[in-house]
Amino acid sequence: PVTVYGAAPDVNQLGGSGSTLIDGGSSAIRNEPVYRDGFLWAVHSVRNPISSVYSSVHYVKIDVATGTKVEDFVFGDPGFWHNYPAVMVDQDKNMAITYSQSDTGSYIGAYYTSRLAIDPIGLQPSKPLQTGKGNYVVTFSGTRNRWGDYMGITMDPVDNSNIWMFTEYAAGTNQWGAWVGELRLTPTPHIYTDSSIVNFGYVEINQTSDTIP
């Protein structure tokens, strides 16, 4: 068993949507779970447990061998809608989740959160990948203000510490777009000097040069 959840509601935005809210996609898992080293990570949008008007991201980490959850967390404050989340886990088991997010003070945009493997259970605050640029109501003469249905997130094919996100946002009034972003959660060491030239002098063969502070 995991945390009990309700179906995610449809989504409002800056300027409102009249009687046609953005389709929040309910609570189906719309991004494939990630399997790595005996564990399965999955995310989906759920009704905010504090205020049912809003939606949050629910993630679980499951031990496949025992069929039990080892992490189970609902992320997202009341006042915001989070929908169509997608998850990826790098080679060090650091996790990133991307999703669309809006509130009544902002247009729907592309956002992400993350968690290092060594962190306590939970997620970092939302960070903007690209903010929304306009009010979005597109129904194609129907009644559904459809939104994307899924986001994309994947490992870099060369470096399994780099994660690529492909997330939908309102690119303008009644225009959608997908913003591409790269995220690295494992620090990369760099060496810098305060001088462009360092002269160690002459060193005799088979001897060791001195150090320069």
Side-chain angles (χ1 to χ4, degrees), residues 17-125:
S17 301
S19 60
T20 311
L21 298 176
I22 295 173
D23 190 336
S26 193
S27 291
I29 294 179
R30 297 181 177 273
N31 169 257
E32 62 272 21
V34 175
Y35 176 81
R36 185 181 285 277
D37 299 334
F39 296 95
L40 192 73
W41 285 260
V43 294
H44 62 141
S45 183
V46 298
R47 190 178 299 275
N48 183 281
I50 298 174
S51 178
S52 61
V53 175
Y54 302 102
S55 55
S56 302
V57 173
H58 180 209
Y59 91 81
V60 294
K61 177 183 176 183
I62 296 171
D63 185 327
V64 174
T66 63
T68 57
K69 66 180 183 183
V70 292
E71 294 175 13
D72 183 348
F73 188 77
V74 176
F75 164 83
D77 292 332
F80 297 88
W81 290 271
H82 308 73
N83 52 45
Y84 303 102
V87 64
M88 185 50 59
V89 180
D90 72 11
Q91 63 184 3
D92 298 309
K93 299 187 182 66
N94 304 310
M95 178 178 64
I97 302 173
T98 190
Y99 41 86
S100 291
Q101 177 185 300
S102 70
D103 61 86
T104 55
S106 60
Y107 303 120
I108 190 165
Y111 289 78
Y112 70 95
T113 183
S114 61
R115 175 181 176 271
L116 297 177
I118 61 174
D119 287 345
I121 294 177
L123 292 164
Q124 296 293 322

